[in-house]
Amino acid sequence: MNIIDMGKAARKAAAALAALSATDKNLLLHAMADALVANSDSILNANAQDVALTRLKGPMVDRLTLTSKRVEEIAAGVRAVAALDDPVGEMVSMAERPNGLIIGKRRVPMGVIAVIYEARPNVTSDCAALCIKSGNACILRGGSEAIRSNSAIASIMRDAIGAAGFNPDALQLVEDTSRESAAELMRLNEYVDLLIPRGGRSLIESAVKNATVPVIETGLGNCHVYIDHPCDEEMGVDIIVNAKTSRPSVCNAAETLLVHAAAAKSFLPKAAAALTAHGVEIRGCLRTQEIISCTPASETDWSTEYDDLILAVKIVDSSDEAIEHINLYNTRHSEAIVTKSYENAQKFLRLVDAAAVYVNASTRFTDGGEFGMGAEIGISTQKMHARGPMGLRELTSTKYIIYGNGQVR
């Protein structure tokens, strides 16, 4: 099926999905989750082929690789979405006008959502679950690195939808991974209501520049942890180690550590020892190099999303300088301060321009599951209706509903 035909089929399926009750949608999701577990071996076999043929390196291979446990987690994520409240039909507001009209806003599905993503097979199931629960049909287009895994997951979920008596075209996967297929999807205005790109800088920039359908920009994560003075330095070490090393290839991993000058001599040796024990390469400013052994940092290091065990480190003289640095170089994703100062914490929360801002916690919590959304379809770094992890409500629009008793204008 070509992309235009997929769009037509998705539009038809979206109309049927919009009419389903929350109970029906939950039955669908549980059937999809059960099918994923029952067919785990076929998913793992397909994934093993992807991994064997991949040109990806280091932590990026981990994003591609599935295990039995990860397949179970994928299915658990689908069930978690089923357990969430259905936002469709929710009344956002209701008020009576002086002329007697009663005007309200009700949540409704977007319609057809397209998602273009790269080497993460779990995105296929997450997007499908979130779209179906929010009443949207989805057209998914993954990258070539995970095409076998994505095809296996999508096929299993489509079969489950059909077996449950619903239209499987609610979930479609574009198996052509060429740039032309992505470009065509970006311009499918007649059928696609929203495009969400998930991946690296080049993919997101391409979507923003070339798409004619509405786009929510997601994912780029040049995230910072700032060690203030005074602070709990042991807490700071734990937070930066977690933020950098727990999964360095994801967008909520820290890429830069900022340290207040008054804390640098005591904090940096402890942090460096803990980080290098996890294999982290430190690239430090001149002042950092005077305290610990590290690679000299260049100007480009402050704006680089490494997706690897590399961390840029800079010493600053104040929280104001830290905030200025963050707002200059960050990608508006996730930022953290470690501090004992209530005043500095509140200033950081108020002035740092990002979708998620933390006090005394790791940036790694910026995640739909951790935020209680069950799963996420992406992390928006824009300032549109959706910002930060996007769950069910972010996949709905609203429409005005008006009750009258004969009013005319």
Side-chain angles (χ1 to χ4, degrees):
M1 188 184 295
N2 63 42
I3 288 180
I4 292 177
D5 287 340
M6 291 179 116
K8 292 178 181 178
R11 178 64 70 196
K12 182 178 179 180
L17 268 177
L20 294 184
S21 67
T23 299
D24 285 337
K25 290 185 283 188
N26 290 341
L27 287 172
L28 266 183
L29 293 175
H30 281 291
M32 292 159 66
D34 292 343
L36 290 170
V37 174
N39 294 277
S40 176
D41 287 346
S42 63
I43 296 171
L44 293 176
N45 288 337
N47 182 251
Q49 295 177 55
D50 285 331
V51 173
L53 295 171
T54 190
R55 293 174 294 176
L56 299 173
K57 303 295 183 182
M60 298 302 290
V61 178
D62 179 61
R63 300 177 84 170
L64 171 63
T65 303
L66 295 177
T67 63
S68 295
K69 181 181 178 182
R70 286 186 177 179
V71 173
E72 291 175 0
E73 290 171 348
I74 284 172
V78 175
R79 294 191 184 99
V81 172
L84 297 172
D85 291 338
D86 187 350
V88 176
E90 174 188 333
M91 293 304 301
V92 178
S93 63
M94 182 72 79
E96 184 174 355
R97 298 292 299 153
N99 63 1
L101 287 177
I102 299 174
I103 301 176
K105 289 178 75 174
R106 176 182 290 168
R107 289 197 183 278
V108 296
M110 290 280 187
V112 177
I113 295 177
V115 187
I116 301 176
Y117 53 105
E118 294 178 341
R120 297 185 66 179
N122 63 296
V123 175
T124 302
S125 57
D126 286 350
C127 291
L130 287 164
C131 286
I132 287 173
K133 181 63 181 268
S134 56
N136 298 291
C138 60
I139 302 175
L140 309 179
R141 192 272 191 192
S144 59
E145 301 88 351
I147 184 59
R148 297 163 189 83
S149 307
N150 293 336
S151 295
I153 292 169
S155 177
I156 289 165
M157 297 178 92
R158 278 176 55 87
D159 287 347
I161 294 170
F166 297 96
N167 187 348
D169 288 336
L171 162 58
Q172 298 184 76
L173 179 76
V174 179
E175 297 197 353
D176 176 1
T177 60
S178 67
R179 290 184 179 179
E180 289 74 20
S181 70
E184 189 174 2
L185 196 55
M186 292 177 191
R187 296 190 291 269
L188 204 63
N189 293 66
E190 188 174 355
Y191 303 111
V192 171
D193 296 288
L194 177 67
L195 171 66
I196 302 173
R198 289 188 57 168
R201 183 177 296 275
S202 61
L203 168 61
I204 293 170
E205 288 180 349
S206 175
V208 170
K209 291 177 181 177
N210 299 315
T212 56
V213 300
V215 176
I216 292 183
E217 189 173 349
T218 70
L220 296 179
N222 185 22
C223 305
H224 300 70
V225 173
Y226 166 54
I227 304 299
D228 193 29
H229 179 75
C231 75
D232 182 330
E233 293 189 2
E234 297 304 321
M235 177 194 292
V237 171
D238 289 343
I239 286 173
I240 188 57
V241 169
N242 177 263
K244 178 72 262 183
T245 71
S246 61
R247 208 165 176 195
S249 63
V250 296
C251 59
N252 58 22
E255 306 291 12
T256 298
L257 171 65
L258 302 175
V259 183
H260 194 290
K265 288 185 179 179
S266 59
F267 176 79
L268 279 175
K270 292 181 287 189
L275 289 163
T276 54
H278 285 80
V280 176
E281 175 194 342
I282 296 174
R283 299 181 182 179
C285 68
L286 288 173
R287 296 166 77 182
T288 299
Q289 295 169 48
E290 294 172 357
I291 298 174
I292 60 172
S293 176
C294 60
T295 303
S298 66
E299 175 64 25
T300 59
D301 284 304
W302 310 130
S303 56
T304 299
E305 182 181 6
Y306 298 112
D307 289 330
D308 204 347
L309 289 171
I310 303 170
L311 182 70
V313 180
K314 180 179 178 64
I315 295 174
V316 295
D317 290 317
S318 66
S319 60
D320 290 331
E321 185 181 348
I323 292 168
E324 182 179 2
H325 179 99
I326 290 169
N327 286 340
L328 178 62
Y329 293 103
N330 78 346
T331 51
R332 313 296 186 255
H333 195 295
S334 300
E335 308 296 345
I337 182 174
V338 181
T339 186
K340 290 182 178 179
S341 167
Y342 176 82
E343 179 182 351
N344 285 350
Q346 295 307 307
K347 179 168 62 175
F348 196 85
L349 291 172
R350 187 174 68 253
L351 298 181
V352 167
D353 185 8
V357 186
Y358 294 82
V359 175
N360 295 332
S362 171
T363 57
R364 288 280 287 111
F365 285 103
T366 306
D367 174 88
E370 295 292 339
F371 279 21
M373 297 176 179
E376 69 185 31
I377 203 164
I379 298 174
S380 171
T381 54
Q382 294 183 169
K383 299 181 182 179
M384 307 294 285
H385 84 286
R387 195 178 192 197
M390 293 185 292
L392 296 174
R393 279 177 173 76
E394 288 73 28
L395 298 183
T396 62
S397 182
T398 58
K399 66 179 176 183
Y400 283 100
I401 58 171
I402 303 97
Y403 293 95
N405 55 6
Q407 288 92 337
V408 295
R409 180 176 178 181

